[in-house]
Amino acid sequence: MNKSKIMYYPKQIPYLLDREFQENVEYIEHTIKELENYCMCIWTMKSKKILNKTISNNILPDACIDLVIDFSNHTICFAGFSKETENFQLNKQIDYMGVRLKPSIFYLLYNIEADKIMDHEIPFCDIEKKINLEDILTLKNTNERITYLTNYLLQKAKGKKEMLFMEVVDELYKNPKEQTVMDISKKFGYNERHLYRIFKTNYGVSPKVLLNILRLHLCLTLILEKNMDLIDIALFCGFYDQSHFIREIKKYTGISPLKIIEDYQ
């Protein structure tokens, strides 16, 4: 496994593993080359037909803040989750698009502390005072919507060069086993209290919570994409033993690692 090429990219489980979700909802992550420094993807989520039952969409905490557009209900907001898996109930006509901003990028672009958004849902107009995005709500074509959002973000990112805090996330993600809050504090040259404030401002979470989130998603990536034994994954990601590893994965995802492998295969 080449650590130098590892970059943080969170996994969202339902579209990969949930058969009922897959049968009823189309979820796609679009990678936009021009935006690769600022966002993981622009994602779309649409019901394949009007839903006559409720479908669960369990969103894993990922330390990202998303710009979320609901075309069915004509709303635009920012939202992020860090504490636990959020269960959203989907019904009737679903038509969403979102931008998954990389950790720290919300603060870089909007100069508003990330902890004011994390684990909350804030209307877009409460954050963005200069640009109105409501024209996107009239667009029906996915490519037109993506182009509209891409142009907005490129305009917003113009002149923003400092990517230090995103690079920190990638470094922590490479090997969370060897990272502690004290280690991070020493690397930054700050005491732990000041480090806590910096992390809450840039990421919306404490150093400890960020490490837990990165460990969770690294585990999922290794489970789904690498041919590694569960014991090796547990040790690589810093869990005490395999049973601790299984408990933590199940706590966040609702599924055991063995079940994830079985469903994914």
Side-chain angles (χ1 to χ4, degrees), residues 2 4 58 68 86-87 101 136 150 165 177 180 217-218 240 248:
N2 188 345
S4 65
N58 295 313
V68 182
E86 292 284 337
N87 184 292
L101 296 173
I136 197 173
T150 299
F165 288 96
K177 177 181 179 179
T180 67
H217 285 283
L218 180 57
Y240 309 122
E248 285 298 300

Side-chain angles (χ1 to χ4, degrees), residues 51-68:
L51 302 176
N52 56 15
K53 60 179 177 179
T54 299
I55 305 296
S56 291
N57 180 28
N58 295 313
I59 300 178
L60 303 184
D62 58 11
C64 297
I65 291 174
D66 286 30
L67 170 59
V68 182

Side-chain angles (χ1 to χ4, degrees), residues 73-129:
N73 294 302
H74 287 77
T75 61
I76 308 175
C77 71
F78 287 99
F81 305 104
S82 71
K83 294 178 180 177
E84 57 189 22
T85 298
E86 292 284 337
N87 184 292
F88 279 88
Q89 302 297 301
L90 306 177
N91 51 58
K92 298 182 180 177
Q93 189 73 36
I94 304 302
D95 187 3
Y96 285 97
M97 177 173 282
V99 181
R100 185 161 301 129
L101 296 173
K102 291 185 173 184
S104 79
I105 297 302
F106 175 83
Y107 179 64
L108 178 71
L109 296 184
Y110 296 95
N111 199 33
I112 295 173
E113 291 86 349
D115 63 343
K116 296 187 185 313
I117 306 297
M118 194 62 72
D119 300 307
H120 297 88
E121 186 177 294
I122 308 294
F124 175 80
C125 59
D126 288 357
I127 301 298
E128 176 61 89
K129 305 297 185 182

Side-chain angles (χ1 to χ4, degrees), residues 1-233:
M1 187 172 173
N2 188 345
K3 293 182 187 179
S4 65
K5 294 184 178 179
I6 297 177
M7 294 184 68
Y8 178 51
Y9 193 96
K11 294 285 184 289
Q12 291 300 333
I13 295 270
Y15 79 101
L16 293 173
L17 302 176
D18 190 319
R19 186 168 297 171
E20 185 176 49
F21 183 92
Q22 293 171 351
E23 289 173 351
N24 291 278
V25 179
E26 181 183 60
Y27 174 87
I28 302 174
E29 294 182 349
H30 308 264
T31 302
I32 311 299
K33 179 68 175 176
E34 306 98 296
L35 298 175
E36 63 182 4
N37 287 334
Y38 304 100
C39 71
M40 303 288 184
C41 63
I42 293 179
W43 54 266
T44 55
M45 184 167 63
K46 293 184 179 183
S47 51
K48 296 179 181 179
K49 58 184 177 181
I50 296 177
L51 302 176
N52 56 15
K53 60 179 177 179
T54 299
I55 305 296
S56 291
N57 180 28
N58 295 313
I59 300 178
L60 303 184
D62 58 11
C64 297
I65 291 174
D66 286 30
L67 170 59
V68 182
I69 302 168
D70 181 347
F71 291 94
S72 295
N73 294 302
H74 287 77
T75 61
I76 308 175
C77 71
F78 287 99
F81 305 104
S82 71
K83 294 178 180 177
E84 57 189 22
T85 298
E86 292 284 337
N87 184 292
F88 279 88
Q89 302 297 301
L90 306 177
N91 51 58
K92 298 182 180 177
Q93 189 73 36
I94 304 302
D95 187 3
Y96 285 97
M97 177 173 282
V99 181
R100 185 161 301 129
L101 296 173
K102 291 185 173 184
S104 79
I105 297 302
F106 175 83
Y107 179 64
L108 178 71
L109 296 184
Y110 296 95
N111 199 33
I112 295 173
E113 291 86 349
D115 63 343
K116 296 187 185 313
I117 306 297
M118 194 62 72
D119 300 307
H120 297 88
E121 186 177 294
I122 308 294
F124 175 80
C125 59
D126 288 357
I127 301 298
E128 176 61 89
K129 305 297 185 182
K130 297 179 180 179
I131 301 175
N132 187 328
L133 279 190
E134 289 189 359
D135 284 348
I136 197 173
L137 296 172
T138 65
L139 301 178
K140 304 297 182 185
N141 180 274
T142 296
N143 289 332
E144 290 179 353
R145 292 172 175 180
I146 290 175
T147 298
Y148 188 100
L149 271 183
T150 299
N151 289 337
Y152 163 70
L153 288 165
L154 288 175
Q155 180 181 352
K156 195 71 185 173
K158 192 175 295 184
K160 306 284 187 181
K161 302 292 186 183
E162 183 56 69
M163 306 302 294
L164 168 64
F165 288 96
M166 186 60 234
E167 292 167 5
V168 168
V169 169
D170 287 335
E171 286 300 314
L172 295 177
Y173 181 67
K174 286 178 183 178
N175 195 348
K177 177 181 179 179
E178 297 177 0
Q179 307 290 342
T180 67
V181 175
M182 189 174 293
D183 293 332
I184 301 170
S185 180
K186 288 178 179 177
K187 286 180 182 178
F188 273 87
Y190 301 134
N191 63 44
E192 291 187 25
R193 181 176 294 181
H194 188 47
L195 183 73
Y196 178 88
R197 289 197 296 268
I198 288 175
F199 270 58
K200 294 287 275 188
T201 295
N202 285 276
Y203 306 122
V205 298
S206 69
K208 183 177 180 180
V209 169
L210 181 61
L211 282 173
N212 286 341
I213 289 172
L214 296 180
R215 186 176 289 118
L216 164 69
H217 285 283
L218 180 57
C219 285
L220 291 175
T221 296
L222 296 177
I223 289 170
L224 296 172
E225 297 180 6
K226 305 295 180 181
N227 188 24
M228 291 176 67
D229 292 334
L230 292 184
I231 293 176
D232 293 335
I233 294 174

